[in-house]
């Protein structure tokens, strides 16, 4: 098979636009040039990749296969270019880390120590739901994932490095403050301080509420766990937070901790990779910092 990366780019542009002219415009080619590129690719593949319909150009089964692999190939080329640019800039490595909100909030001290120890390594850190973190690691979108709770880890290699618990932080004197435990529907009948609408913490809580047929009564969306805790201290509402975030404020009598009577409140924290054996040296070092550093700092819950 003989074809160029440009052929794949043109093919994907046509598939997205469902039009030869539209796809050609997207990649700054004339329609005849794009048509030539497409014919070259179809000849190399040995099968037609599009069929023309009343709604435009639709992918054939062969075209769908090429689309899937072309997206992966060009994605890897982009990542290769980024990696090489970092090498040219003196950066020796780059790690893409996806994390859910609770592991993300706890990773800062470890992250600081790692970056100080490896000054030529950069980290791209993004927040995702735990299930999405697993999927990203499996598909190679993320090099390393951090997730919490009861998630399916069968298709990745994972190490459980810590535990935390989701609890409700409530102001002193709040109607829930005398309770040791509270059901989710009862807690959500009170005014809530949520994290950002797109944060994995709030998306997860909203999903659990939907299962109960409950709409959370959100007064405000806070930017971080600590901001949410500060609002609880001021009596604005209650917030579902990791127990580790609430400890100092609870010990000082500024908030009352009420445990959530749900099975998913206990949150084992996992670090995930596609293959421990295949990790680069700096990626393995980051895993070691998370696993050993957490224990060294006594942050296991």
């Amino acid at each position: 098979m003989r074809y160029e990366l440009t052929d794949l780019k043109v093919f994907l542009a046509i598939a997205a636009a469902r039009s030869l002219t539209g796809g050609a415009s997207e990649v700054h080619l004339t329609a005849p040039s794009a048509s030539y590129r497409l014919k070259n690719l179809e000849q190399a593949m040995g099968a037609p990749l599009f069929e023309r319909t009343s709604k435009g150009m639709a992918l054939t089964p062969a075209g769908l296969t090429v689309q899937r692999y072309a997206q992966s190939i060009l994605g890897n080329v982009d990542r290769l270019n980024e990696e090489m640019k970092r090498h040219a800039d003196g950066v020796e490595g780059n790690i893409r880390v996806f994390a859910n909100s609770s592991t993300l909030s706890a990773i800062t001290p470890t992250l600081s120590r790692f970056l100080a120890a490896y000054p030529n390594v950069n980290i791209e850190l993004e927040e995702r739901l735990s299930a999405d973190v697993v999927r990203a690691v499996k598909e190679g979108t993320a090099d390393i994932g951090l997730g919490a709770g009861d998630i399916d880890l069968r298709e990745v290699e994972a190490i459980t490095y810590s535990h935390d618990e989701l609890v409700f932080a409530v102001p002193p004197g709040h109607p829930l403050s005398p309770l040791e435990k509270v059901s989710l529907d009862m807690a959500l009948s009170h005014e809530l301080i949520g994290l950002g609408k797109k944060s994995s913490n709030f998306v997860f809580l909203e999903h659990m509420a939907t299962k109960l047929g409950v709409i959370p009564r959100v007064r405000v969306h806070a930017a971080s766990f600590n901001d949410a805790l500060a609002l609880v201290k001021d009596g604005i509402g209650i917030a579902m937070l990791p127990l580790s975030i609430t400890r100092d404020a609870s010990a000082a009598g500024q908030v009352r901790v009420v445990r959530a009577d749900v099975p998913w409140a206990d949150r084992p924290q996992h670090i995930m990779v596609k293959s421990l054996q295949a990790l680069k040296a700096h990626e393995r070092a980051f895993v070691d910092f998370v696993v050993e550093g957490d224990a060294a700092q006594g942050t296991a819950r």
Side-chain angles (χ1 to χ4, degrees), residues 41-274:
L41 185 63
E42 288 184 319
Q43 184 175 2
M45 295 299 172
L49 304 180
F50 289 97
E51 58 181 353
R52 285 165 174 78
T53 71
S54 59
K55 295 182 179 180
M57 296 180 70
L59 288 168
T60 63
L64 289 170
T65 299
V66 173
Q67 181 186 46
R68 184 170 72 254
Y69 282 97
Q71 288 170 337
S72 177
I73 290 167
L74 293 177
N76 283 330
V77 169
D78 288 341
R79 286 191 282 274
L80 171 61
N81 291 336
E82 290 172 7
E83 290 282 347
M84 296 313 297
K85 183 179 184 303
R86 292 186 181 96
H87 284 298
D89 293 340
V91 176
E92 295 176 359
N94 186 72
I95 308 174
R96 294 163 297 164
V97 179
F98 284 10
N100 80 314
S101 56
S102 59
T103 57
L104 192 62
S105 68
I107 200 66
T108 301
T110 300
L111 194 62
S112 296
R113 291 186 299 104
F114 175 81
L115 291 172
Y118 290 82
N120 293 325
V121 175
N122 289 344
I123 290 182
E124 299 175 31
L125 193 58
E126 296 187 30
E127 182 180 348
R128 294 285 192 278
L129 288 168
S130 289
D132 294 335
V133 172
V134 177
R135 188 178 305 111
V137 170
K138 182 183 70 173
E139 295 175 353
T141 309
D143 301 312
I144 294 173
L146 299 167
D150 183 18
I151 49 180
D152 187 351
L153 300 169
R154 288 175 297 178
E155 296 187 79
V156 296
E157 294 187 31
I159 301 170
T160 301
Y161 66 91
S162 185
H163 281 78
D164 208 336
E165 180 184 356
L166 288 175
V167 298
F168 283 103
V170 305
H174 188 277
L176 295 179
S177 63
L179 302 179
E180 292 296 324
K181 270 191 174 184
V182 64
S183 64
L184 183 61
D185 55 347
M186 181 184 291
L188 294 182
S189 68
H190 295 269
E191 292 182 324
L192 178 74
I193 299 160
L195 257 63
K197 290 182 180 180
K198 295 184 179 180
S199 70
S200 59
N201 174 276
F202 183 73
V203 170
F204 176 77
L205 181 59
E206 194 173 39
H207 178 65
M208 292 296 106
T210 299
K211 284 187 171 182
L212 295 173
V214 176
I215 299 175
R217 298 168 55 192
V218 181
R219 289 205 68 192
V220 62
H221 288 277
S224 68
F225 285 133
N226 286 327
D227 288 341
L229 184 62
L231 290 166
V232 175
K233 292 177 186 177
D234 291 338
I236 306 303
I238 69 172
M240 177 169 264
L241 304 172
L243 179 61
S244 57
I245 298 292
T246 68
R247 278 205 175 99
D248 291 344
S250 176
Q254 297 170 310
V255 301
R256 175 87 167 83
V257 169
V258 180
R259 284 186 152 81
D261 190 12
V262 289
W264 43 262
D266 180 55
R267 308 285 281 172
Q269 297 180 332
H270 317 283
I271 186 165
M272 299 162 271
V273 298
K274 194 169 186 178

